[in-house]
Amino acid sequence: MVDPIGSHRPGGTRRKPQPTPLSRLAVRLAPLAPLARRLRPAYPRPGRAGWRRWMPSWRQWLGALALSIGLSGSLLVIAYAATDIPQNLNTYATQQDNVYFWADGTPMARTGWVRRQAMPLKDIPPDVRSAVLAAENESFYSDPGISVKGITRALVRTVGQGDTQGGSTITQQYVKNVYLTQNRSVGRKFTEAMISLKLDNKMSKDKILEGYLNTSWFGRGTYGLQRASQAYYGKDVSRLNASEGAFLASLLKGAGLYDPTLSTANHKRAVERWSWILDRMVKTGKLSASERATYTKFPEPLEQGRAFDTGKQSDYLVELATQYAKKAGHISDRDFDLGGYQIYTTFDRKREKTLTDTVTEARAKAKKDDPDTAKNAHYGAASIADDGRILAVYGGPDHRTQGYNESNATTVPAGSAFLPFVYAAGLEHGVHKTREGAATPVTPESVYDGDDGVPVSTPEGPYWDRSGKKVAAHNDGKKDHGQVTLRQALASSVNTPFMQLGMDTGLDKVRATAEASGLLSSSIGPQVPTLSLGSSTPSAIRMANSYATFAAGGTHTEPYSVRRITRNGYRVTLDTPAPHRAMRAEVAREVTEALSDSFRTAHPGAAPTTAQVAGKKGTTQDDKAAWYVGTNRSVSTAVVLYRIDLSKSLEPLPLEGIAGTPETDVPYGIWSGAMSPLR
C-alpha cells in the first residue's frame, strides 16, 4: 500500500516529509505570535469613545517603533557585512597627463597640470595637521569614521532639493577621493558611509589622515599638501607654519573660491576663513592664544604659477587649446586637472614652425640693427583658415619669461587695417545723407574726397569735438588724393573717405559689421568718427579671423583650436562653432577684390604668382603700431608689431623705424614668410 503523502524507498521504508520554506518561516516566527496578538489592533477598541476608538494603544505604538528600529538595525548590519572596501584606487588617486596632438595626429605636448607627491604624516607639521582638522573634522580621532548628524542632514537635503551637501568626515572624504566617484546621490552617500565604517576599523586614524592629505585637491593643479605648499608658498610642506597651514586648509572647502590671487571676492573669503580656522584651533586646544595673537597678517600666497615650463612656442599653443577645451568641452578645472584627456588641436606643425622661424629671424635682425629700440619690441601673429581653425600663432619669445600670448593680446589699435570693415558696412547697408528717407546704395565706384584734413560732416553740418574743433581725417603723410572711388581709396589706403563713409553709413552699422566679421565687442573703440580709422584694439587672432570672413564669401566662423577631445577612449562632447552669414557674398567679394588691388599696388613684384592674394597694411597716425593682414586662398594671417616698456607702463611707444620702410616692411615680411607654405 502506498502512503498518500509519501513514497516507498527501496526496501519498503518511507521517505520522511521535507519541511517547505513556508513551514520553516512559520517555525521561526512562532515565538513572535504572542507579541503579534498583543500588537494586533482590535477596532473599534472597547472602552473608548469617539475617535479614540480607532487609535492604536501606546503599547502598539511602542511595539511598532521597536520593530522598526530592529529592522533598520538589521538592514544596516546586513549592508555593512555586504559592503567590501574596493581593492583598486580610482582615477582621483591616480593622476594622468593630458596629451595634445598636432592637426596631423602626431603628439605635440604633454602637460602634468596635476602634481602629486605623497608625504608621510610625520613630515607634515602638527600645526598644519591641526589646521586641517579644525577646518574639516575636529572630532576625527574620536568619531567612528562617519557623522550620523551630517549624513542625516545631507540625506534630508537630497530628498528636499535633489543634491547632497555636507556631512562628510575626513574618512568619508578620503573614501570618496580614492574609491568612489564624485557624483552626488543618496546611493553613493550610503556606500561611502559603509566603506568609511569598515575603513575606520581596518586602518589607523593616522594612515587615513595621511591618505587624505595626500589625495585632496588644493587647486592650481595640485593634489596633496606637499605640492600645494610648493605651488602657493614655494617651499616644502615641512617648513609651513600654522598660519600658512590654515590658509591651505581653507582651500579644501573649494580652491576655486578661496585662491586669493584669482579675484577680490576670493581674497576676502580666504582671509575670513583663514582667521576662522585659526580661532577654531585655539578653541580645540591645538593652538595657544598667545601664538594665535602673532598671526594677524594674512599669509599671502605666491601668484599663480605658470602652467608650462618648457618655454617653447608650443606652450602658447597648449595655453590656447586648454582654454578652448575647457570651455567648449564643458570641463571643470578640477576634472581637467585630474588629467587623462587627449586633445586633438587644429595647429599645423609646418605652418607653426614657418611662422615661428620667420618672426624669430625678424626679431634677431631688429636686435642687431637697433638693439635699444628692439628690446621693447613685441610681435604677435596668427594664421587662421576660413572655417575658423587656428593653424598657427606666434605668442612671444619664451613662455617662461613672457606669461601672456601676443597673438591673443588686445593692446594696440588696428589703424588702417580696420578700413575694410567700414567699406563692407557701406556696401552692405548704404548711406544716409539726410536724417530721413531710405539709404542710398554705395558701390566700389562711389566717389569721395580723398584730400587730407577734410572735415567730417553730418546731415546738420560739420562734426565738432568737445573742445569746439571740427573733426577732420588725415592721410598717411598728410597727402592729398583728390576725388577717389572707394575701391581706389582702400587699395591706396586713403583714410579720409572712410571716416566720412563711416558717418554716412552709421557708426553703429560699422561696429555691427566688424563684430559680425569676428572682432570682439570688448576690443572695439568708442562710437566716434575715429572708430572708422581703426581706434579698436583687436588681437592678431581676431584680425586674421575677420579677414578670413571676406575670403569665405561673407560667412564667419568663430576661431577654434581644438577639433576633438577624448578621455580614456571615450569621446568628450565638444561645442564646435557654427558658421553664420556676416554679410552678403557680393559684399565680401568686392572687399576681397579691393584688398587684392591693395596687395598688388603695394607689392607689384609678387602679383604674378599670387593671383588669389588679398592683403592690407595697417598703420596708425601716432606710429605706435604696424600691421599686415591678408589672405591667400583659404588662409588668413595677421601680424602686428609694437613697442612697450613693460617695466614702466602698458602705453605703446613710437616704433621709431623698427617696422621698416615701405620697401622693407617688417610685418609684411613676416606675413609673406608665414604664407609661403601656400605657394
mmCIF file of all heavy atoms in Angstrom, residues 556-599:
data_model
loop_
_atom_site.group_PDB
_atom_site.id
_atom_site.type_symbol
_atom_site.label_atom_id
_atom_site.label_comp_id
_atom_site.label_asym_id
_atom_site.label_seq_id
_atom_site.Cartn_x
_atom_site.Cartn_y
_atom_site.Cartn_z
ATOM 1 N N HIS A 556 31.085 83.790 -41.587
ATOM 2 C CA HIS A 556 32.032 83.853 -40.474
ATOM 3 C C HIS A 556 31.903 82.637 -39.571
ATOM 4 O O HIS A 556 30.802 82.203 -39.247
ATOM 5 C CB HIS A 556 31.801 85.102 -39.626
ATOM 6 C CG HIS A 556 32.614 85.107 -38.361
ATOM 7 N ND1 HIS A 556 33.975 85.222 -38.367
ATOM 8 C CD2 HIS A 556 32.245 84.967 -37.064
ATOM 9 C CE1 HIS A 556 34.426 85.181 -37.126
ATOM 10 N NE2 HIS A 556 33.397 85.021 -36.317
ATOM 11 N N THR A 557 33.037 82.103 -39.146
ATOM 12 C CA THR A 557 33.091 81.033 -38.157
ATOM 13 C C THR A 557 34.045 81.457 -37.054
ATOM 14 O O THR A 557 35.174 81.872 -37.333
ATOM 15 C CB THR A 557 33.583 79.708 -38.770
ATOM 16 O OG1 THR A 557 32.766 79.374 -39.893
ATOM 17 C CG2 THR A 557 33.515 78.580 -37.738
ATOM 18 N N GLU A 558 33.607 81.383 -35.825
ATOM 19 C CA GLU A 558 34.437 81.766 -34.692
ATOM 20 C C GLU A 558 35.730 80.935 -34.673
ATOM 21 O O GLU A 558 35.720 79.749 -35.019
ATOM 22 C CB GLU A 558 33.685 81.541 -33.379
ATOM 23 C CG GLU A 558 32.677 82.623 -33.058
ATOM 24 C CD GLU A 558 33.355 83.912 -32.639
ATOM 25 O OE1 GLU A 558 33.869 83.989 -31.505
ATOM 26 O OE2 GLU A 558 33.382 84.847 -33.457
ATOM 27 N N PRO A 559 36.838 81.537 -34.266
ATOM 28 C CA PRO A 559 38.104 80.779 -34.245
ATOM 29 C C PRO A 559 38.083 79.695 -33.183
ATOM 30 O O PRO A 559 37.551 79.884 -32.084
ATOM 31 C CB PRO A 559 39.141 81.865 -33.916
ATOM 32 C CG PRO A 559 38.375 82.922 -33.203
ATOM 33 C CD PRO A 559 37.008 82.923 -33.808
ATOM 34 N N TYR A 560 38.661 78.555 -33.499
ATOM 35 C CA TYR A 560 38.746 77.471 -32.525
ATOM 36 C C TYR A 560 40.051 76.723 -32.711
ATOM 37 O O TYR A 560 40.622 76.693 -33.798
ATOM 38 C CB TYR A 560 37.540 76.525 -32.627
ATOM 39 C CG TYR A 560 37.426 75.747 -33.924
ATOM 40 C CD1 TYR A 560 37.858 74.424 -34.011
ATOM 41 C CD2 TYR A 560 36.851 76.325 -35.056
ATOM 42 C CE1 TYR A 560 37.739 73.706 -35.189
ATOM 43 C CE2 TYR A 560 36.718 75.610 -36.232
ATOM 44 C CZ TYR A 560 37.161 74.302 -36.293
ATOM 45 O OH TYR A 560 37.046 73.584 -37.463
ATOM 46 N N SER A 561 40.526 76.112 -31.627
ATOM 47 C CA SER A 561 41.841 75.477 -31.635
ATOM 48 C C SER A 561 41.803 73.987 -31.332
ATOM 49 O O SER A 561 42.840 73.321 -31.370
ATOM 50 C CB SER A 561 42.758 76.166 -30.618
ATOM 51 O OG SER A 561 42.176 76.131 -29.327
ATOM 52 N N VAL A 562 40.635 73.442 -31.032
ATOM 53 C CA VAL A 562 40.502 72.018 -30.713
ATOM 54 C C VAL A 562 39.383 71.431 -31.550
ATOM 55 O O VAL A 562 38.275 71.972 -31.591
ATOM 56 C CB VAL A 562 40.197 71.803 -29.219
ATOM 57 C CG1 VAL A 562 40.008 70.317 -28.913
ATOM 58 C CG2 VAL A 562 41.310 72.384 -28.352
ATOM 59 N N ARG A 563 39.675 70.322 -32.221
ATOM 60 C CA ARG A 563 38.667 69.685 -33.071
ATOM 61 C C ARG A 563 38.079 68.413 -32.464
ATOM 62 O O ARG A 563 36.999 67.981 -32.831
ATOM 63 C CB ARG A 563 39.265 69.349 -34.437
ATOM 64 C CG ARG A 563 40.529 68.488 -34.386
ATOM 65 C CD ARG A 563 41.184 68.331 -35.745
ATOM 66 N NE ARG A 563 42.431 67.567 -35.682
ATOM 67 C CZ ARG A 563 42.493 66.245 -35.711
ATOM 68 N NH1 ARG A 563 41.372 65.546 -35.828
ATOM 69 N NH2 ARG A 563 43.648 65.618 -35.643
ATOM 70 N N ARG A 564 38.781 67.823 -31.496
ATOM 71 C CA ARG A 564 38.277 66.592 -30.879
ATOM 72 C C ARG A 564 38.954 66.382 -29.530
ATOM 73 O O ARG A 564 40.127 66.704 -29.352
ATOM 74 C CB ARG A 564 38.549 65.390 -31.787
ATOM 75 C CG ARG A 564 38.006 64.059 -31.276
ATOM 76 C CD ARG A 564 37.957 63.033 -32.414
ATOM 77 N NE ARG A 564 39.266 62.743 -32.956
ATOM 78 C CZ ARG A 564 40.024 61.695 -32.581
ATOM 79 N NH1 ARG A 564 39.580 60.872 -31.665
ATOM 80 N NH2 ARG A 564 41.204 61.493 -33.138
ATOM 81 N N ILE A 565 38.198 65.838 -28.570
ATOM 82 C CA ILE A 565 38.730 65.509 -27.247
ATOM 83 C C ILE A 565 38.242 64.120 -26.860
ATOM 84 O O ILE A 565 37.058 63.804 -27.022
ATOM 85 C CB ILE A 565 38.274 66.521 -26.173
ATOM 86 C CG1 ILE A 565 38.699 67.944 -26.537
ATOM 87 C CG2 ILE A 565 38.844 66.149 -24.810
ATOM 88 C CD1 ILE A 565 38.180 68.986 -25.560
ATOM 89 N N THR A 566 39.147 63.303 -26.367
ATOM 90 C CA THR A 566 38.762 62.019 -25.804
ATOM 91 C C THR A 566 39.353 61.901 -24.407
ATOM 92 O O THR A 566 40.325 62.581 -24.064
ATOM 93 C CB THR A 566 39.258 60.833 -26.664
ATOM 94 O OG1 THR A 566 40.690 60.898 -26.766
ATOM 95 C CG2 THR A 566 38.661 60.884 -28.057
ATOM 96 N N ARG A 567 38.749 61.030 -23.625
ATOM 97 C CA ARG A 567 39.281 60.761 -22.286
ATOM 98 C C ARG A 567 39.142 59.275 -22.002
ATOM 99 O O ARG A 567 38.027 58.747 -21.995
ATOM 100 C CB ARG A 567 38.534 61.556 -21.223
ATOM 101 C CG ARG A 567 39.214 61.500 -19.857
ATOM 102 C CD ARG A 567 38.432 62.228 -18.792
ATOM 103 N NE ARG A 567 39.262 62.517 -17.632
ATOM 104 C CZ ARG A 567 38.775 62.975 -16.483
ATOM 105 N NH1 ARG A 567 37.481 63.219 -16.349
ATOM 106 N NH2 ARG A 567 39.584 63.209 -15.470
ATOM 107 N N ASN A 568 40.275 58.642 -21.845
ATOM 108 C CA ASN A 568 40.293 57.197 -21.603
ATOM 109 C C ASN A 568 39.502 56.434 -22.654
ATOM 110 O O ASN A 568 38.787 55.483 -22.353
ATOM 111 C CB ASN A 568 39.751 56.888 -20.202
ATOM 112 C CG ASN A 568 40.583 57.520 -19.107
ATOM 113 O OD1 ASN A 568 41.791 57.681 -19.252
ATOM 114 N ND2 ASN A 568 39.956 57.906 -18.014
ATOM 115 N N GLY A 569 39.622 56.876 -23.900
ATOM 116 C CA GLY A 569 38.996 56.182 -25.009
ATOM 117 C C GLY A 569 37.600 56.637 -25.339
ATOM 118 O O GLY A 569 37.033 56.214 -26.365
ATOM 119 N N TYR A 570 36.996 57.495 -24.513
ATOM 120 C CA TYR A 570 35.627 57.943 -24.756
ATOM 121 C C TYR A 570 35.633 59.374 -25.298
ATOM 122 O O TYR A 570 36.383 60.224 -24.835
ATOM 123 C CB TYR A 570 34.798 57.889 -23.467
ATOM 124 C CG TYR A 570 34.553 56.477 -22.981
ATOM 125 C CD1 TYR A 570 35.402 55.899 -22.035
ATOM 126 C CD2 TYR A 570 33.497 55.729 -23.473
ATOM 127 C CE1 TYR A 570 35.197 54.604 -21.588
ATOM 128 C CE2 TYR A 570 33.270 54.430 -23.025
ATOM 129 C CZ TYR A 570 34.127 53.876 -22.084
ATOM 130 O OH TYR A 570 33.921 52.595 -21.650
ATOM 131 N N ARG A 571 34.775 59.621 -26.249
ATOM 132 C CA ARG A 571 34.695 60.941 -26.885
ATOM 133 C C ARG A 571 34.024 61.926 -25.940
ATOM 134 O O ARG A 571 32.993 61.623 -25.328
ATOM 135 C CB ARG A 571 33.893 60.822 -28.191
ATOM 136 C CG ARG A 571 33.902 62.093 -29.044
ATOM 137 C CD ARG A 571 35.037 62.049 -30.028
ATOM 138 N NE ARG A 571 35.021 63.183 -30.934
ATOM 139 C CZ ARG A 571 34.922 63.067 -32.255
ATOM 140 N NH1 ARG A 571 34.836 61.864 -32.802
ATOM 141 N NH2 ARG A 571 34.961 64.125 -33.034
ATOM 142 N N VAL A 572 34.610 63.085 -25.804
ATOM 143 C CA VAL A 572 34.026 64.161 -25.000
ATOM 144 C C VAL A 572 33.211 65.058 -25.921
ATOM 145 O O VAL A 572 33.684 65.467 -26.984
ATOM 146 C CB VAL A 572 35.128 64.991 -24.299
ATOM 147 C CG1 VAL A 572 34.524 66.175 -23.555
ATOM 148 C CG2 VAL A 572 35.919 64.112 -23.348
ATOM 149 N N THR A 573 31.992 65.349 -25.538
ATOM 150 C CA THR A 573 31.145 66.227 -26.345
ATOM 151 C C THR A 573 31.777 67.614 -26.431
ATOM 152 O O THR A 573 32.106 68.223 -25.407
ATOM 153 C CB THR A 573 29.734 66.337 -25.748
ATOM 154 O OG1 THR A 573 29.162 65.033 -25.672
ATOM 155 C CG2 THR A 573 28.853 67.224 -26.606
ATOM 156 N N LEU A 574 31.932 68.102 -27.635
ATOM 157 C CA LEU A 574 32.638 69.361 -27.864
ATOM 158 C C LEU A 574 31.757 70.303 -28.667
ATOM 159 O O LEU A 574 31.212 69.928 -29.706
ATOM 160 C CB LEU A 574 33.943 69.089 -28.621
ATOM 161 C CG LEU A 574 34.927 70.237 -28.809
ATOM 162 C CD1 LEU A 574 35.514 70.658 -27.470
ATOM 163 C CD2 LEU A 574 36.043 69.826 -29.749
ATOM 164 N N ASP A 575 31.589 71.507 -28.174
ATOM 165 C CA ASP A 575 30.829 72.522 -28.907
ATOM 166 C C ASP A 575 31.696 73.063 -30.041
ATOM 167 O O ASP A 575 32.728 73.689 -29.787
ATOM 168 C CB ASP A 575 30.435 73.677 -27.981
ATOM 169 C CG ASP A 575 29.439 73.249 -26.922
ATOM 170 O OD1 ASP A 575 28.780 72.220 -27.132
ATOM 171 O OD2 ASP A 575 29.340 73.931 -25.887
ATOM 172 N N THR A 576 31.276 72.819 -31.262
ATOM 173 C CA THR A 576 32.012 73.314 -32.428
ATOM 174 C C THR A 576 31.300 74.535 -32.984
ATOM 175 O O THR A 576 30.082 74.493 -33.181
ATOM 176 C CB THR A 576 32.108 72.225 -33.511
ATOM 177 O OG1 THR A 576 32.735 71.072 -32.948
ATOM 178 C CG2 THR A 576 32.925 72.710 -34.698
ATOM 179 N N PRO A 577 32.008 75.626 -33.220
ATOM 180 C CA PRO A 577 31.329 76.835 -33.713
ATOM 181 C C PRO A 577 30.686 76.619 -35.072
ATOM 182 O O PRO A 577 31.274 75.984 -35.955
ATOM 183 C CB PRO A 577 32.462 77.872 -33.785
ATOM 184 C CG PRO A 577 33.713 77.075 -33.840
ATOM 185 C CD PRO A 577 33.453 75.822 -33.061
ATOM 186 N N ALA A 578 29.489 77.133 -35.215
ATOM 187 C CA ALA A 578 28.768 77.009 -36.483
ATOM 188 C C ALA A 578 28.938 78.288 -37.300
ATOM 189 O O ALA A 578 28.957 79.390 -36.739
ATOM 190 C CB ALA A 578 27.288 76.752 -36.221
ATOM 191 N N PRO A 579 29.081 78.179 -38.614
ATOM 192 C CA PRO A 579 29.223 79.382 -39.446
ATOM 193 C C PRO A 579 27.930 80.185 -39.501
ATOM 194 O O PRO A 579 26.833 79.632 -39.370
ATOM 195 C CB PRO A 579 29.588 78.807 -40.825
ATOM 196 C CG PRO A 579 29.036 77.421 -40.818
ATOM 197 C CD PRO A 579 29.122 76.944 -39.413
ATOM 198 N N HIS A 580 28.065 81.487 -39.672
ATOM 199 C CA HIS A 580 26.884 82.330 -39.846
ATOM 200 C C HIS A 580 27.194 83.402 -40.891
ATOM 201 O O HIS A 580 28.353 83.722 -41.158
ATOM 202 C CB HIS A 580 26.469 82.977 -38.517
ATOM 203 C CG HIS A 580 27.397 84.059 -38.044
ATOM 204 N ND1 HIS A 580 28.428 83.829 -37.171
ATOM 205 C CD2 HIS A 580 27.453 85.389 -38.337
ATOM 206 C CE1 HIS A 580 29.077 84.954 -36.941
ATOM 207 N NE2 HIS A 580 28.512 85.924 -37.633
ATOM 208 N N ARG A 581 26.154 83.936 -41.470
ATOM 209 C CA ARG A 581 26.300 84.939 -42.513
ATOM 210 C C ARG A 581 26.589 86.298 -41.890
ATOM 211 O O ARG A 581 25.803 86.840 -41.133
ATOM 212 C CB ARG A 581 25.009 84.991 -43.341
ATOM 213 C CG ARG A 581 24.943 86.070 -44.406
ATOM 214 C CD ARG A 581 25.990 85.925 -45.482
ATOM 215 N NE ARG A 581 25.922 84.656 -46.195
ATOM 216 C CZ ARG A 581 26.793 84.302 -47.119
ATOM 217 N NH1 ARG A 581 27.820 85.109 -47.419
ATOM 218 N NH2 ARG A 581 26.684 83.135 -47.724
ATOM 219 N N ALA A 582 27.755 86.868 -42.192
ATOM 220 C CA ALA A 582 28.147 88.175 -41.665
ATOM 221 C C ALA A 582 27.787 89.298 -42.620
ATOM 222 O O ALA A 582 27.520 90.423 -42.200
ATOM 223 C CB ALA A 582 29.651 88.198 -41.382
ATOM 224 N N MET A 583 27.815 89.002 -43.922
ATOM 225 C CA MET A 583 27.493 89.995 -44.953
ATOM 226 C C MET A 583 27.148 89.247 -46.236
ATOM 227 O O MET A 583 27.413 88.048 -46.355
ATOM 228 C CB MET A 583 28.696 90.928 -45.181
ATOM 229 C CG MET A 583 29.934 90.210 -45.712
ATOM 230 S SD MET A 583 31.439 91.208 -45.651
ATOM 231 C CE MET A 583 31.749 91.292 -43.894
ATOM 232 N N ARG A 584 26.576 89.946 -47.160
ATOM 233 C CA ARG A 584 26.242 89.308 -48.436
ATOM 234 C C ARG A 584 27.514 88.843 -49.137
ATOM 235 O O ARG A 584 28.572 89.476 -49.035
ATOM 236 C CB ARG A 584 25.480 90.276 -49.342
ATOM 237 C CG ARG A 584 24.153 90.747 -48.776
ATOM 238 C CD ARG A 584 23.285 91.422 -49.843
ATOM 239 N NE ARG A 584 24.012 92.361 -50.676
ATOM 240 C CZ ARG A 584 24.205 93.641 -50.395
ATOM 241 N NH1 ARG A 584 23.722 94.130 -49.261
ATOM 242 N NH2 ARG A 584 24.871 94.434 -51.224
ATOM 243 N N ALA A 585 27.406 87.748 -49.855
ATOM 244 C CA ALA A 585 28.565 87.203 -50.565
ATOM 245 C C ALA A 585 29.126 88.218 -51.549
ATOM 246 O O ALA A 585 30.344 88.312 -51.743
ATOM 247 C CB ALA A 585 28.172 85.915 -51.287
ATOM 248 N N GLU A 586 28.242 89.009 -52.167
ATOM 249 C CA GLU A 586 28.691 90.012 -53.132
ATOM 250 C C GLU A 586 29.548 91.070 -52.451
ATOM 251 O O GLU A 586 30.562 91.522 -53.003
ATOM 252 C CB GLU A 586 27.479 90.667 -53.794
ATOM 253 C CG GLU A 586 27.843 91.722 -54.815
ATOM 254 C CD GLU A 586 26.616 92.429 -55.388
ATOM 255 O OE1 GLU A 586 25.485 92.076 -54.989
ATOM 256 O OE2 GLU A 586 26.791 93.332 -56.217
ATOM 257 N N VAL A 587 29.149 91.463 -51.239
ATOM 258 C CA VAL A 587 29.923 92.452 -50.490
ATOM 259 C C VAL A 587 31.301 91.893 -50.150
ATOM 260 O O VAL A 587 32.326 92.565 -50.324
ATOM 261 C CB VAL A 587 29.176 92.869 -49.213
ATOM 262 C CG1 VAL A 587 30.074 93.722 -48.309
ATOM 263 C CG2 VAL A 587 27.896 93.625 -49.559
ATOM 264 N N ALA A 588 31.348 90.648 -49.675
ATOM 265 C CA ALA A 588 32.626 90.018 -49.333
ATOM 266 C C ALA A 588 33.531 89.937 -50.561
ATOM 267 O O ALA A 588 34.749 90.162 -50.470
ATOM 268 C CB ALA A 588 32.380 88.631 -48.753
ATOM 269 N N ARG A 589 32.953 89.614 -51.711
ATOM 270 C CA ARG A 589 33.746 89.522 -52.937
ATOM 271 C C ARG A 589 34.325 90.877 -53.310
ATOM 272 O O ARG A 589 35.505 90.985 -53.684
ATOM 273 C CB ARG A 589 32.875 88.986 -54.075
ATOM 274 C CG ARG A 589 33.605 88.914 -55.428
ATOM 275 C CD ARG A 589 32.682 88.398 -56.503
ATOM 276 N NE ARG A 589 31.490 89.203 -56.637
ATOM 277 C CZ ARG A 589 31.435 90.379 -57.277
ATOM 278 N NH1 ARG A 589 32.538 90.899 -57.821
ATOM 279 N NH2 ARG A 589 30.306 91.055 -57.349
ATOM 280 N N GLU A 590 33.529 91.943 -53.187
ATOM 281 C CA GLU A 590 34.007 93.274 -53.553
ATOM 282 C C GLU A 590 35.095 93.763 -52.588
ATOM 283 O O GLU A 590 36.054 94.428 -53.009
ATOM 284 C CB GLU A 590 32.832 94.252 -53.579
ATOM 285 C CG GLU A 590 31.885 93.995 -54.765
ATOM 286 C CD GLU A 590 30.606 94.807 -54.679
ATOM 287 O OE1 GLU A 590 30.265 95.254 -53.547
ATOM 288 O OE2 GLU A 590 29.938 94.988 -55.708
ATOM 289 N N VAL A 591 34.965 93.428 -51.301
ATOM 290 C CA VAL A 591 36.014 93.785 -50.341
ATOM 291 C C VAL A 591 37.300 93.037 -50.690
ATOM 292 O O VAL A 591 38.396 93.615 -50.696
ATOM 293 C CB VAL A 591 35.577 93.467 -48.897
ATOM 294 C CG1 VAL A 591 36.751 93.691 -47.930
ATOM 295 C CG2 VAL A 591 34.397 94.333 -48.487
ATOM 296 N N THR A 592 37.174 91.755 -51.012
ATOM 297 C CA THR A 592 38.349 90.949 -51.363
ATOM 298 C C THR A 592 39.033 91.487 -52.610
ATOM 299 O O THR A 592 40.276 91.540 -52.690
ATOM 300 C CB THR A 592 37.945 89.481 -51.571
ATOM 301 O OG1 THR A 592 37.352 88.980 -50.359
ATOM 302 C CG2 THR A 592 39.153 88.625 -51.933
ATOM 303 N N GLU A 593 38.252 91.910 -53.586
ATOM 304 C CA GLU A 593 38.840 92.461 -54.808
ATOM 305 C C GLU A 593 39.611 93.741 -54.516
ATOM 306 O O GLU A 593 40.708 93.967 -55.063
ATOM 307 C CB GLU A 593 37.743 92.721 -55.837
ATOM 308 C CG GLU A 593 37.157 91.444 -56.434
ATOM 309 C CD GLU A 593 36.025 91.728 -57.413
ATOM 310 O OE1 GLU A 593 35.628 92.925 -57.528
ATOM 311 O OE2 GLU A 593 35.535 90.783 -58.050
ATOM 312 N N ALA A 594 39.041 94.582 -53.634
ATOM 313 C CA ALA A 594 39.743 95.813 -53.266
ATOM 314 C C ALA A 594 41.020 95.498 -52.492
ATOM 315 O O ALA A 594 42.054 96.155 -52.679
ATOM 316 C CB ALA A 594 38.824 96.712 -52.434
ATOM 317 N N LEU A 595 40.981 94.486 -51.645
ATOM 318 C CA LEU A 595 42.180 94.085 -50.905
ATOM 319 C C LEU A 595 43.217 93.462 -51.843
ATOM 320 O O LEU A 595 44.426 93.584 -51.614
ATOM 321 C CB LEU A 595 41.807 93.099 -49.794
ATOM 322 C CG LEU A 595 41.036 93.692 -48.607
ATOM 323 C CD1 LEU A 595 40.590 92.585 -47.649
ATOM 324 C CD2 LEU A 595 41.887 94.720 -47.865
ATOM 325 N N SER A 596 42.753 92.801 -52.888
ATOM 326 C CA SER A 596 43.692 92.283 -53.898
ATOM 327 C C SER A 596 44.376 93.428 -54.619
ATOM 328 O O SER A 596 45.586 93.388 -54.889
ATOM 329 C CB SER A 596 42.945 91.394 -54.894
ATOM 330 O OG SER A 596 42.444 90.232 -54.262
ATOM 331 N N ASP A 597 43.596 94.476 -54.930
ATOM 332 C CA ASP A 597 44.190 95.678 -55.528
ATOM 333 C C ASP A 597 45.225 96.283 -54.587
ATOM 334 O O ASP A 597 46.298 96.724 -55.020
ATOM 335 C CB ASP A 597 43.100 96.719 -55.816
ATOM 336 C CG ASP A 597 42.161 96.287 -56.926
ATOM 337 O OD1 ASP A 597 42.484 95.325 -57.649
ATOM 338 O OD2 ASP A 597 41.083 96.915 -57.065
ATOM 339 N N SER A 598 44.880 96.308 -53.296
ATOM 340 C CA SER A 598 45.795 96.870 -52.302
ATOM 341 C C SER A 598 47.104 96.092 -52.272
ATOM 342 O O SER A 598 48.192 96.677 -52.236
ATOM 343 C CB SER A 598 45.147 96.846 -50.912
ATOM 344 O OG SER A 598 46.042 97.291 -49.927
ATOM 345 N N PHE A 599 47.006 94.768 -52.320
ATOM 346 C CA PHE A 599 48.208 93.944 -52.294
ATOM 347 C C PHE A 599 49.065 94.180 -53.543
ATOM 348 O O PHE A 599 50.280 94.364 -53.452
ATOM 349 C CB PHE A 599 47.821 92.462 -52.198
ATOM 350 C CG PHE A 599 49.000 91.538 -52.224
ATOM 351 C CD1 PHE A 599 49.748 91.300 -51.084
ATOM 352 C CD2 PHE A 599 49.391 90.929 -53.407
ATOM 353 C CE1 PHE A 599 50.851 90.465 -51.115
ATOM 354 C CE2 PHE A 599 50.489 90.095 -53.438
ATOM 355 C CZ PHE A 599 51.228 89.858 -52.288
#
